[in-house]
Amino acid sequence: MTAFSTLCYIERDGSYLMLHRTVKKNDVNKDKWIGVGGHFEAEESPEECLLREVYEETGYHLTAWKFRGLVTFVSGDGVTEYMSLFTADEFTGEPVACDEGELEWVDKQEVLKLNIWEGDKIFFRLLEEQQEFFSLKLVYDGTDRLVEAALNGRPLELFDIRDENGQPTGIVRERGVAHRDGSRHGTVHIWIVRENEKSGFDLLLQKRSANKDSHPGCYDISSAGHVAAGDDYLPSAVRELSEELGVLAEPEELEFLGFHEEYRENIFYGKPFRNREISAVYVYRKSVKAEELSLQREEVESVCWMDFLECLEAVKAGTIPTCLHEEELRQLGQYLEIDLDQG
């Protein structure tokens, strides 16, 4: 079945007018908070539907609005809904009670804390980032679990949100949203090492591409990446080694060191970046020739070998641009049985 609808977020004094859908028993949005809007009537345009639905649900006559995007909503129950998304910031009239639920002005910074659809969090992010117009596809599994998302025809990354033990909680969240609100998600860190006569080991470091969305141009772990929704740590580690460096490793060749959790807040490209990740850390000892690696250029600019203790000191002193974490380096040093107090 195909349906057509409008959804509008009315703005006032840094807040959105939100509708808590509590009335209808068989409402797909039951107990969720959404904007105001509804389905097209016969021969209506998106704007006509918008104006009618807003007036019926709120009592407001919109006098200024903007068409922000088209959302293709696939429910997983055989329904595909094409939703015209609007924002509005000027209106007249007096508020009325809504027969769909309770209307409430909610500060924009508090909206994501409400019980809203995971996909809605994506278009709130896009609205906040002032995207002029976008096409967003959201696919659910018949419940409120998001299983696919695409922006302007390109897939978006989805993560399993994880508990303090690194296990999936059942919530799936889009990458940009997870990094906006600091949701805990899984990553893999693979340290490629070789023996030397100084500290005992060299580390292969990668220099991140200048186009990365976080820590561009910084020295980082040999290979690292996110664990996609539905994936597990070890297969993700094998995949990241292959994609980023062209290293074809067997799962049994990766030594599991343990888990490491960290939280960092930064600003990149004018946007907040809150990274809470729980990482499965691995060591790879097979011979690797840096000059023969096949680098994924959109991710990795270059690689180099560095003595372990020299790397640890550089991280502590801040003498190289890096996003390495001293605590994880020490964890690695203990695993490799390096005397961290030498030199």
Side-chain angles (χ1 to χ4, degrees):
M1 186 178 77
T2 301
F4 298 88
S5 65
T6 57
L7 184 67
C8 182
Y9 287 95
I10 304 174
E11 304 175 58
R12 185 185 72 181
D13 300 329
S15 297
Y16 283 127
L17 184 60
M18 301 294 294
L19 173 58
H20 191 196
R21 299 284 289 250
T22 58
V23 176
K24 294 182 179 179
K25 292 183 178 179
N26 297 320
D27 185 359
V28 67
N29 293 303
K30 186 72 165 63
D31 295 325
K32 291 282 196 299
W33 293 76
I34 64 171
V36 294
H39 291 96
F40 284 30
E41 293 186 350
E43 301 181 357
E44 278 189 325
S45 69
E47 291 78 9
E48 289 169 331
C49 178
L50 164 76
L51 296 174
R52 176 184 55 77
E53 285 286 347
V54 168
Y55 176 71
E56 290 176 357
E57 292 189 348
T58 70
Y60 295 137
H61 294 280
L62 297 184
T63 56
W65 61 88
K66 188 174 182 180
F67 195 0
R68 303 300 298 273
L70 177 66
V71 180
T72 303
F73 179 88
V74 182
S75 70
D77 290 328
V79 177
T80 299
E81 184 170 331
Y82 296 96
M83 190 167 60
S84 297
L85 180 65
F86 293 84
T87 55
D89 56 9
E90 294 182 21
F91 53 91
T92 61
E94 296 297 323
V96 298
C98 178
D99 61 5
E100 304 282 350
E102 296 77 40
L103 290 164
E104 183 178 334
W105 290 99
V106 180
D107 187 283
K108 291 181 180 180
Q109 302 305 313
E110 300 297 316
V111 168
L112 295 188
K113 298 177 183 179
L114 301 175
N115 179 22
I116 64 177
W117 292 93
E118 282 296 328
D120 292 13
K121 296 178 182 180
I122 303 176
F123 58 69
F124 275 122
R125 175 176 69 79
L126 298 174
L127 293 176
E128 184 177 284
E129 294 172 2
Q130 298 298 311
Q131 295 273 348
E132 281 302 309
F133 189 88
F134 55 85
S135 173
L136 181 65
K137 181 179 180 181
L138 304 170
V139 182
Y140 291 84
D141 66 352
T143 66
D144 59 359
R145 182 182 174 88
L146 186 65
V147 296
E148 181 186 337
L151 177 62
N152 299 326
R154 296 183 177 182
L156 293 172
E157 290 185 68
L158 301 180
F159 301 155
D160 287 311
I161 302 307
R162 297 177 180 266
D163 63 22
E164 61 276 8
N165 297 313
Q167 299 305 305
T169 62
I171 298 172
V172 174
R173 189 157 292 159
E174 186 261 336
R175 172 180 178 152
V177 175
H179 283 152
R180 182 187 182 280
D181 66 10
S183 300
R184 184 189 290 109
H185 55 281
T187 62
V188 289
H189 292 176
I190 308 99
W191 293 93
I192 298 177
V193 303
R194 69 180 183 187
E195 294 186 5
N196 70 15
E197 295 182 357
K198 296 176 72 175
S199 68
F201 287 92
D202 289 325
L203 305 177
L204 184 73
L205 302 182
Q206 67 161 264
K207 188 176 183 182
R208 293 164 66 88
S209 165
N211 298 318
K212 289 287 291 180
D213 64 352
S214 64
H215 305 286
C218 289
Y219 287 97
D220 200 357
I221 299 159
S222 312
S223 180
H226 292 101
V227 180
D231 286 353
D232 208 347
Y233 292 102
L234 184 55
S236 299
V238 171
R239 184 193 68 244
E240 287 295 334
L241 274 175
S242 174
E243 291 179 352
E244 290 192 344
L245 304 179
V247 174
L248 302 179
E250 296 297 329
E252 60 270 17
E253 295 171 338
L254 297 181
E255 303 170 29
F256 179 61
L257 186 159
F259 284 102
H260 178 261
E261 183 168 2
E262 65 176 75
Y263 177 76
R264 299 186 187 184
E265 289 191 16
N266 297 92
I267 300 291
F268 296 110
Y269 308 105
K271 297 183 293 186
F273 188 88
R274 302 177 180 91
N275 190 36
R276 186 185 304 277
E277 59 181 50
I278 185 162
S279 306
V281 185
Y282 298 92
V283 173
Y284 184 72
R285 298 178 190 253
K286 289 198 70 175
S287 177
V288 169
K289 295 182 179 180
E291 65 275 10
E292 296 179 2
L293 294 176
S294 178
L295 306 184
Q296 186 180 20
R297 291 300 177 182
E298 61 268 28
E299 298 285 336
V300 184
E301 180 180 310
S302 61
V303 295
C304 67
W305 290 102
M306 183 177 290
D307 176 73
F308 178 89
L309 287 178
E310 290 179 2
C311 180
L312 179 59
E313 183 58 35
V315 170
K316 290 167 58 179
T319 54
I320 61 172
T322 179
C323 51
L324 298 173
H325 199 285
E326 181 182 345
E327 181 182 321
E328 183 173 335
L329 272 172
R330 290 185 174 278
Q331 186 180 6
L332 173 63
Q334 291 171 357
Y335 180 81
L336 296 174
E337 298 183 338
I338 294 173
D339 181 0
L340 299 180
D341 296 321
Q342 65 178 290

